[in-house]
Amino acid sequence: DTGVSQDPRHKITKRGQNVTFRCDPISEHNRLYWYRQTLGQGPEFLTYFQNEAQLEKSRLLSDRFSAERPKGSFSTLEIQRTEQGDSAMYLCASSLEGGGGYGYTFGSGTRLTVV
Amino acid sequence: SQQGEEDPQALSIQEGENATMNCSYKTSINNLQWYRQNSGRGLVHLILIRSNEREKHSGRLRVTLDTSKKSSSLLITASRAADTASYFCAILRGDGAQKLVFGQGTRLTINP
């Protein structure tokens, strides 16, 4: 595969509904990250996985948010009981693990609009 | 919270001119990275500079890092209309943190 894929690209949902987003990382990458970005701002970290283990979650990630990465491959991000403040671009990225750091490869994002 | 702060927030120049964007941060770092984002798209990794490096080049990009001032700059030479995008710096903290922390970005517009 040639990049990180995110699905869907756009999602419009009514307040109170649940939504789920999917991310397919680069297959060789063992790290997967979720970020949220609002208009005019930089991406804010939500959570990351190393293989199937979720190693860190931001305090931004309320109990309405849950992320999984079964079998260390694709990942899903679910938002329950959506609120208007959840409207944002949700970005997924993957990278190789390494002490010296590697650049991230980002997907095109899922734009969520809560009405 | 955002650790990096880019300056300026917006920059508009003529095609062919050089564009310089600055990034300041507050903590020790392992490395600092620059990304580009076209409107409504994901981010694209441009360049990574490690804490023990002072300057790196990649094509028309030149990045400098001054760890004593906790600042970095991104220079794009001979700008093109296609360089119009938002540019973000991101730091990997030196305390063992395992995720990038992004700044607010600089919106660069290249006028033809």
Side-chain angles (χ1 to χ4, degrees):
Chain A
D1 60 44
T2 57
V4 177
S5 299
Q6 291 190 246
D7 183 70
R9 288 294 311 278
H10 303 274
K11 178 71 177 178
I12 300 174
T13 191
K14 291 184 178 180
R15 186 164 52 92
Q17 297 294 304
N18 300 343
V19 295
T20 300
F21 311 139
R22 177 180 170 123
C23 172
D24 287 272
I26 292 175
S27 56
E28 297 83 13
H29 288 178
N30 54 3
R31 289 200 171 172
L32 185 148
Y33 307 82
W34 285 99
Y35 283 79
R36 180 173 68 188
Q37 185 180 28
T38 53
L39 197 62
Q41 301 295 312
E44 291 181 299
F45 171 77
L46 293 178
T47 188
Y48 92 93
F49 294 82
Q50 182 165 306
N51 300 313
E52 67 275 9
Q54 188 175 18
L55 296 186
E56 187 174 346
K57 291 169 59 174
S58 166
R59 285 170 288 181
L60 292 174
L61 215 63
S62 75
D63 56 6
R64 296 185 298 107
F65 288 71
S66 63
E68 295 182 341
R69 192 184 182 195
K71 303 179 183 178
S73 55
F74 72 92
S75 176
T76 58
L77 178 69
E78 180 183 17
I79 309 174
Q80 296 182 328
R81 305 181 303 280
T82 52
E83 303 172 355
Q84 287 190 322
D86 297 331
S87 295
M89 175 79 89
Y90 289 83
L91 295 164
C92 174
S94 68
S95 77
L96 289 168
E97 175 190 2
Y102 292 88
Y104 292 3
T105 302
F106 278 85
S108 294
T110 293
R111 180 167 296 284
L112 173 66
T113 303
V114 182
V115 298
Chain B
S1 63
Q2 306 296 104
Q3 285 274 347
E5 294 184 6
E6 281 95 337
D7 171 58
Q9 291 189 345
L11 179 62
S12 180
I13 62 173
Q14 295 299 119
E15 196 167 20
E17 294 180 340
N18 296 342
T20 299
M21 288 158 274
N22 302 296
C23 170
S24 61
Y25 56 91
K26 300 176 181 176
T27 66
S28 65
I29 62 170
N30 178 297
N31 66 66
L32 184 147
Q33 304 180 25
W34 286 90
Y35 288 79
R36 184 187 73 226
Q37 185 178 36
N38 290 90
S39 182
R41 308 289 295 182
L43 285 79
V44 175
H45 179 255
L46 296 176
I47 199 164
L48 180 155
I49 187 165
R50 302 186 195 285
S51 60
N52 61 353
E53 298 175 312
R54 292 298 168 256
E55 186 171 315
K56 284 190 84 169
H57 297 255
S58 177
R60 293 183 297 112
L61 305 181
R62 172 178 169 252
V63 169
T64 61
L65 178 64
D66 186 334
T67 53
S68 66
K69 295 181 179 178
K70 291 186 167 57
S71 67
S72 173
S73 66
L74 170 66
L75 169 67
I76 304 174
T77 60
S79 63
R80 306 167 182 170
D83 295 328
T84 294
S86 292
Y87 291 81
F88 295 91
C89 70
I91 61 168
L92 187 70
R93 296 201 317 250
D95 60 0
Q98 298 293 312
K99 80 274 189 182
L100 289 178
V101 179
F102 286 83
Q104 307 275 35
T106 292
R107 175 67 189 168
L108 175 65
T109 302
I110 308 299
N111 301 301

PDB file of all heavy atoms in Angstrom, chain B residues 9-21:
ATOM      1  N   GLN B   9       1.696  34.075  11.887  1.00  0.00           N
ATOM      2  CA  GLN B   9       0.524  33.228  11.708  1.00  0.00           C
ATOM      3  C   GLN B   9       0.138  33.146  10.244  1.00  0.00           C
ATOM      4  O   GLN B   9      -0.413  32.137   9.802  1.00  0.00           O
ATOM      5  CB  GLN B   9      -0.645  33.752  12.538  1.00  0.00           C
ATOM      6  CG  GLN B   9      -0.434  33.589  14.026  1.00  0.00           C
ATOM      7  CD  GLN B   9      -1.689  33.900  14.820  1.00  0.00           C
ATOM      8  OE1 GLN B   9      -2.624  34.493  14.289  1.00  0.00           O
ATOM      9  NE2 GLN B   9      -1.709  33.515  16.074  1.00  0.00           N
ATOM     10  N   ALA B  10       0.391  34.232   9.506  1.00  0.00           N
ATOM     11  CA  ALA B  10       0.088  34.254   8.083  1.00  0.00           C
ATOM     12  C   ALA B  10       1.173  35.028   7.356  1.00  0.00           C
ATOM     13  O   ALA B  10       1.717  35.999   7.889  1.00  0.00           O
ATOM     14  CB  ALA B  10      -1.285  34.875   7.822  1.00  0.00           C
ATOM     15  N   LEU B  11       1.483  34.581   6.140  1.00  0.00           N
ATOM     16  CA  LEU B  11       2.540  35.197   5.340  1.00  0.00           C
ATOM     17  C   LEU B  11       2.114  35.169   3.881  1.00  0.00           C
ATOM     18  O   LEU B  11       1.719  34.121   3.382  1.00  0.00           O
ATOM     19  CB  LEU B  11       3.846  34.420   5.521  1.00  0.00           C
ATOM     20  CG  LEU B  11       5.080  34.889   4.758  1.00  0.00           C
ATOM     21  CD1 LEU B  11       5.465  36.296   5.184  1.00  0.00           C
ATOM     22  CD2 LEU B  11       6.239  33.928   5.008  1.00  0.00           C
ATOM     23  N   SER B  12       2.193  36.322   3.233  1.00  0.00           N
ATOM     24  CA  SER B  12       1.824  36.413   1.822  1.00  0.00           C
ATOM     25  C   SER B  12       2.988  37.033   1.062  1.00  0.00           C
ATOM     26  O   SER B  12       3.438  38.137   1.396  1.00  0.00           O
ATOM     27  CB  SER B  12       0.561  37.266   1.663  1.00  0.00           C
ATOM     28  OG  SER B  12       0.186  37.362   0.299  1.00  0.00           O
ATOM     29  N   ILE B  13       3.504  36.326   0.056  1.00  0.00           N
ATOM     30  CA  ILE B  13       4.652  36.825  -0.710  1.00  0.00           C
ATOM     31  C   ILE B  13       4.429  36.582  -2.197  1.00  0.00           C
ATOM     32  O   ILE B  13       3.509  35.862  -2.596  1.00  0.00           O
ATOM     33  CB  ILE B  13       5.965  36.146  -0.267  1.00  0.00           C
ATOM     34  CG1 ILE B  13       5.893  34.628  -0.516  1.00  0.00           C
ATOM     35  CG2 ILE B  13       6.283  36.459   1.174  1.00  0.00           C
ATOM     36  CD1 ILE B  13       7.204  33.913  -0.257  1.00  0.00           C
ATOM     37  N   GLN B  14       5.285  37.175  -3.013  1.00  0.00           N
ATOM     38  CA  GLN B  14       5.207  36.990  -4.454  1.00  0.00           C
ATOM     39  C   GLN B  14       5.987  35.749  -4.867  1.00  0.00           C
ATOM     40  O   GLN B  14       6.995  35.385  -4.251  1.00  0.00           O
ATOM     41  CB  GLN B  14       5.771  38.208  -5.187  1.00  0.00           C
ATOM     42  CG  GLN B  14       4.973  39.488  -4.989  1.00  0.00           C
ATOM     43  CD  GLN B  14       3.548  39.354  -5.493  1.00  0.00           C
ATOM     44  OE1 GLN B  14       2.607  39.499  -4.714  1.00  0.00           O
ATOM     45  NE2 GLN B  14       3.403  39.073  -6.768  1.00  0.00           N
ATOM     46  N   GLU B  15       5.491  35.117  -5.898  1.00  0.00           N
ATOM     47  CA  GLU B  15       6.176  33.950  -6.445  1.00  0.00           C
ATOM     48  C   GLU B  15       7.627  34.294  -6.765  1.00  0.00           C
ATOM     49  O   GLU B  15       7.917  35.366  -7.314  1.00  0.00           O
ATOM     50  CB  GLU B  15       5.459  33.476  -7.709  1.00  0.00           C
ATOM     51  CG  GLU B  15       5.825  32.089  -8.165  1.00  0.00           C
ATOM     52  CD  GLU B  15       4.863  31.561  -9.227  1.00  0.00           C
ATOM     53  OE1 GLU B  15       4.180  32.377  -9.866  1.00  0.00           O
ATOM     54  OE2 GLU B  15       4.788  30.342  -9.388  1.00  0.00           O
ATOM     55  N   GLY B  16       8.512  33.397  -6.406  1.00  0.00           N
ATOM     56  CA  GLY B  16       9.930  33.619  -6.642  1.00  0.00           C
ATOM     57  C   GLY B  16      10.679  34.141  -5.430  1.00  0.00           C
ATOM     58  O   GLY B  16      11.905  33.994  -5.335  1.00  0.00           O
ATOM     59  N   GLU B  17       9.945  34.745  -4.502  1.00  0.00           N
ATOM     60  CA  GLU B  17      10.582  35.237  -3.272  1.00  0.00           C
ATOM     61  C   GLU B  17      10.810  34.073  -2.311  1.00  0.00           C
ATOM     62  O   GLU B  17      10.256  32.986  -2.457  1.00  0.00           O
ATOM     63  CB  GLU B  17       9.707  36.308  -2.612  1.00  0.00           C
ATOM     64  CG  GLU B  17       9.569  37.570  -3.432  1.00  0.00           C
ATOM     65  CD  GLU B  17       8.694  38.613  -2.749  1.00  0.00           C
ATOM     66  OE1 GLU B  17       7.913  38.246  -1.865  1.00  0.00           O
ATOM     67  OE2 GLU B  17       8.799  39.797  -3.109  1.00  0.00           O
ATOM     68  N   ASN B  18      11.633  34.346  -1.308  1.00  0.00           N
ATOM     69  CA  ASN B  18      11.867  33.350  -0.254  1.00  0.00           C
ATOM     70  C   ASN B  18      10.874  33.556   0.879  1.00  0.00           C
ATOM     71  O   ASN B  18      10.492  34.686   1.185  1.00  0.00           O
ATOM     72  CB  ASN B  18      13.283  33.464   0.290  1.00  0.00           C
ATOM     73  CG  ASN B  18      14.339  33.162  -0.740  1.00  0.00           C
ATOM     74  OD1 ASN B  18      14.057  32.541  -1.774  1.00  0.00           O
ATOM     75  ND2 ASN B  18      15.561  33.602  -0.492  1.00  0.00           N
ATOM     76  N   ALA B  19      10.481  32.456   1.509  1.00  0.00           N
ATOM     77  CA  ALA B  19       9.557  32.505   2.645  1.00  0.00           C
ATOM     78  C   ALA B  19      10.242  31.923   3.865  1.00  0.00           C
ATOM     79  O   ALA B  19      10.833  30.839   3.791  1.00  0.00           O
ATOM     80  CB  ALA B  19       8.292  31.708   2.337  1.00  0.00           C
ATOM     81  N   THR B  20      10.171  32.651   4.961  1.00  0.00           N
ATOM     82  CA  THR B  20      10.753  32.181   6.215  1.00  0.00           C
ATOM     83  C   THR B  20       9.685  32.113   7.288  1.00  0.00           C
ATOM     84  O   THR B  20       8.947  33.073   7.510  1.00  0.00           O
ATOM     85  CB  THR B  20      11.884  33.104   6.694  1.00  0.00           C
ATOM     86  OG1 THR B  20      12.922  33.127   5.702  1.00  0.00           O
ATOM     87  CG2 THR B  20      12.470  32.586   8.008  1.00  0.00           C
ATOM     88  N   MET B  21       9.602  30.945   7.936  1.00  0.00           N
ATOM     89  CA  MET B  21       8.670  30.739   9.035  1.00  0.00           C
ATOM     90  C   MET B  21       9.451  30.301  10.260  1.00  0.00           C
ATOM     91  O   MET B  21      10.434  29.570  10.133  1.00  0.00           O
ATOM     92  CB  MET B  21       7.648  29.647   8.663  1.00  0.00           C
ATOM     93  CG  MET B  21       6.659  30.113   7.623  1.00  0.00           C
ATOM     94  SD  MET B  21       5.888  28.753   6.742  1.00  0.00           S
ATOM     95  CE  MET B  21       7.079  28.467   5.444  1.00  0.00           C
TER      96      MET B  21
END
